[in-house]
Amino acid sequence: MRIKKVFCGSPIICLGLILGACSHSESTLQHPLDTLRIDVGSEAPTLDPALSEDAAAGRVINDLFAGLVDFDQQNNLIPGMAESWNISANGKTYTFHLRDNLKFSDGSRITANDFIYTYRRVVDPKTASGHNYLLAGVVNGNKIIKGELPPTSLGISAPDAKTVVIQLDHPDANFLNYLTLGTVGVVSQKTINKYASAWTQAQNMVTSGAYVLSEHVVNGHILLTKNPYYFQESQVAIAKVDFFPYVDHNAGLSAYKTGGLDLVYQSVPIDQYQNLKQQYPSELHTIQQEGIYFYDLNQLLPQFKNNPELRQALSMAIDRNALVNKVLGQGETALYSNVTSTVESGAYKSVRYSWADLPYAKQVKIAQQLYAKAGYSASHPLKIDLSYNTDDLHKKIALAIAGMWKSTLGVEVTLSNQEWKTFIASRHSGNYVVARDRWVADYNSVTSYTQLYLCNGMQNNSHYCNPAYDKLVTAAENSSDLTQQQQLYRQALTLALNDYAIIPLFQPNYSKLVKPYVSNLDVEHNFFNVEQSKWVKFSD
């Protein structure tokens, strides 16, 4: 039997229709041969590549837009819309040579000027791109982001229609990695000028990637269809991709089990993980992610901004080993740093709390002393609101940590959950007290982490600011000596760590379910969990 494709405004309704349509066991269900169906775990807040900053939107945008440089399934750099490039001897000039006959999804030609428009748009303060830092090292990029120069002064030019030249302020070994990200996927100036913010609606959107947007039902689904003008169109095997935002992971799992999904992108219900390992040993994949899970302490608030003892007390009172082993139990790694020990082959594993190896009882004793020094006690407890976006995993972690703070320090915690889009806005604006956070590196470099703690950084949700930190990061960026550069980055990160800019909790894993007939997808070597549907095929 083949399930008839059902379109509806809610994944939960879709699930009910699927379940009601048949009573066969999952082994008898057949998937639609022309459509890849993916659970991305939440509604994408935006499909504008310059504004995207979350995994759900990023997964969709990777299918919709293409850039100068691409990546393979082991996160290696490969040619994208530029078939080749040259780097000057001083490492500051990049010359990209575009492929022949590049086109947008409306059939219009893509030229070097479209990349100039795209890059200027990313650094333009009016755009407010959360990833504008990717181009901060381009000549005048940082000054444009700060509003000191116009976007037209960005160091990017087009000697001719097929050549893009980018000038950097200083050599950056990671620059090509930046250009693989969806943020700088080429967009259509004509479309954006015509429709303004409505350009991302399905009836208006013009794309440059392997797929085009056909339908977007908010909190329902996002349907993509193959882009006939994509330069590698002949290599794209699957005609359609349907994304579903299952915020309730149990509903997503049910859809997977009953044949309504082919792939669960990055999360399964935490309380069913062990059972799933037994039930689906070849379909459940768990990979350590290059990223950090942490809590932000809103340092716009006086109680945190001017109280380092309190920030340290809250960090030391958390039993990270219990958190990863008893609460989570999916192989996560306890984290005592603001950077992973795995990035750049362990170059920053020495950046670690000095007290990290103390017995937990000793940590608690010190935390209690710091808590009292900060002015709090049993008769005058700290009262905080702990925010997280709606998700069973985040709720379980919040309950565990609230319990640790209560039992060790007497902190009174109120939990507050929000819808994902609202939660992102609240963190950025500082409209919270304590909030859960997670950062997944986009590339294998410490610079993916250092920008989290810069004064006024777009991804600095804790609103921490120490000019000395910024000065060290700038010095590192401008250094052409690798040994000196790493030393400066270590000094900067250690400074922010000892300032308790954030509360690091653990290095996460990501778990995904993949049906046996989904082939040509290398999950085990994709440490950044960056996928493109153009890679996927269906086996017989």
Side-chain angles (χ1 to χ4, degrees), residues 201-516:
Q201 295 179 11
Q203 67 271 25
N204 303 330
M205 180 177 275
V206 171
T207 66
S208 56
Y211 291 88
V212 298
L213 178 63
S214 293
E215 185 175 20
H216 184 183
V217 178
V218 176
N219 294 319
H221 77 138
I222 299 173
L223 178 66
L224 312 186
T225 53
K226 190 174 176 179
N227 177 6
Y229 295 105
Y230 180 56
F231 70 93
Q232 292 180 325
E233 181 272 339
S234 62
Q235 300 177 34
V236 180
I238 298 178
K240 301 175 185 179
V241 185
D242 215 352
F243 295 98
F244 294 91
Y246 283 99
V247 175
D248 182 347
H249 298 319
N250 288 294
L253 177 60
S254 294
Y256 180 86
K257 287 182 173 181
T258 55
L261 291 170
D262 308 307
L263 191 153
V264 175
Y265 176 51
Q266 65 173 355
S267 188
V268 298
I270 185 172
D271 58 346
Q272 298 193 50
Y273 177 77
Q274 297 300 329
N275 287 335
L276 291 172
K277 284 179 66 176
Q278 300 297 320
Q279 295 173 0
Y280 301 98
S282 63
E283 297 177 39
L284 180 65
H285 302 265
T286 302
I287 298 93
Q288 184 179 53
Q289 198 160 31
E290 184 52 59
I292 61 176
Y293 191 110
F294 58 100
Y295 274 2
D296 295 309
L297 303 174
N298 186 356
Q299 295 188 41
L300 296 176
L301 302 176
Q303 69 208 71
F304 292 135
K305 180 179 181 180
N306 301 315
N307 209 333
E309 290 87 1
L310 178 61
R311 301 198 300 267
Q312 182 177 351
L314 291 173
S315 187
M316 293 188 76
I318 295 172
D319 188 344
R320 290 164 175 80
N321 289 323
L323 181 65
V324 299
N325 294 322
K326 297 180 180 180
V327 178
L328 298 173
Q330 297 186 26
E332 296 86 351
T333 305
L335 187 65
Y336 296 87
S337 179
N338 50 9
V339 65
T340 68
S341 62
T342 52
V343 73
E344 294 188 29
S345 302
Y348 298 91
K349 61 184 178 182
S350 64
V351 179
R352 200 164 181 259
Y353 284 137
S354 60
W355 47 262
D357 294 324
L358 291 178
Y360 178 59
K362 180 65 174 177
Q363 293 179 31
V364 169
K365 185 175 181 179
I366 297 173
Q368 291 170 339
Q369 294 169 350
L370 290 166
Y371 185 71
K373 187 177 179 181
Y376 296 95
S377 63
S379 60
H380 178 57
L382 174 67
K383 298 179 180 180
I384 58 176
D385 183 89
L386 173 54
S387 303
Y388 60 93
N389 56 294
T390 305
D391 184 293
D392 287 342
L393 171 67
H394 306 322
K395 181 179 180 180
K396 193 169 186 178
I397 293 170
L399 285 168
I401 291 178
M404 294 175 191
W405 282 341
K406 178 65 175 178
S407 64
T408 59
L409 302 177
V411 178
E412 297 181 3
V413 182
T414 301
L415 300 185
S416 174
N417 71 297
Q418 296 176 324
E419 177 268 334
W420 178 230
K421 188 174 182 178
T422 301
F423 180 69
I424 291 177
S426 296
R427 282 193 318 203
H428 279 335
S429 64
N431 185 25
Y432 75 92
V433 180
V434 179
R436 83 99 200 165
D437 213 331
R438 177 175 177 153
W439 182 256
V440 177
D442 297 308
Y443 43 88
N444 186 26
S445 169
V446 71
T447 60
S448 189
Y449 295 102
T450 53
Q451 52 84 30
L452 294 175
Y453 317 113
L454 291 170
C455 295
N456 302 313
M458 290 294 290
Q459 300 298 333
N460 181 354
N461 293 324
S462 69
H463 305 279
Y464 160 80
C465 182
N466 186 333
Y469 173 85
D470 288 27
K471 186 176 180 179
L472 285 166
V473 169
T474 300
E477 291 173 345
N478 291 326
S479 175
S480 57
D481 182 284
L482 178 60
T483 300
Q484 181 190 48
Q485 185 181 68
Q486 289 184 341
Q487 182 180 10
L488 288 166
Y489 278 136
R490 289 190 197 101
Q491 290 177 20
L493 288 165
T494 300
L495 177 62
L497 184 70
N498 292 333
D499 278 348
Y500 294 89
I502 63 168
I503 297 180
L505 297 174
F506 58 90
Q507 181 171 353
N509 294 335
Y510 72 88
S511 297
K512 63 173 57 186
L513 285 162
V514 183
K515 290 290 187 180

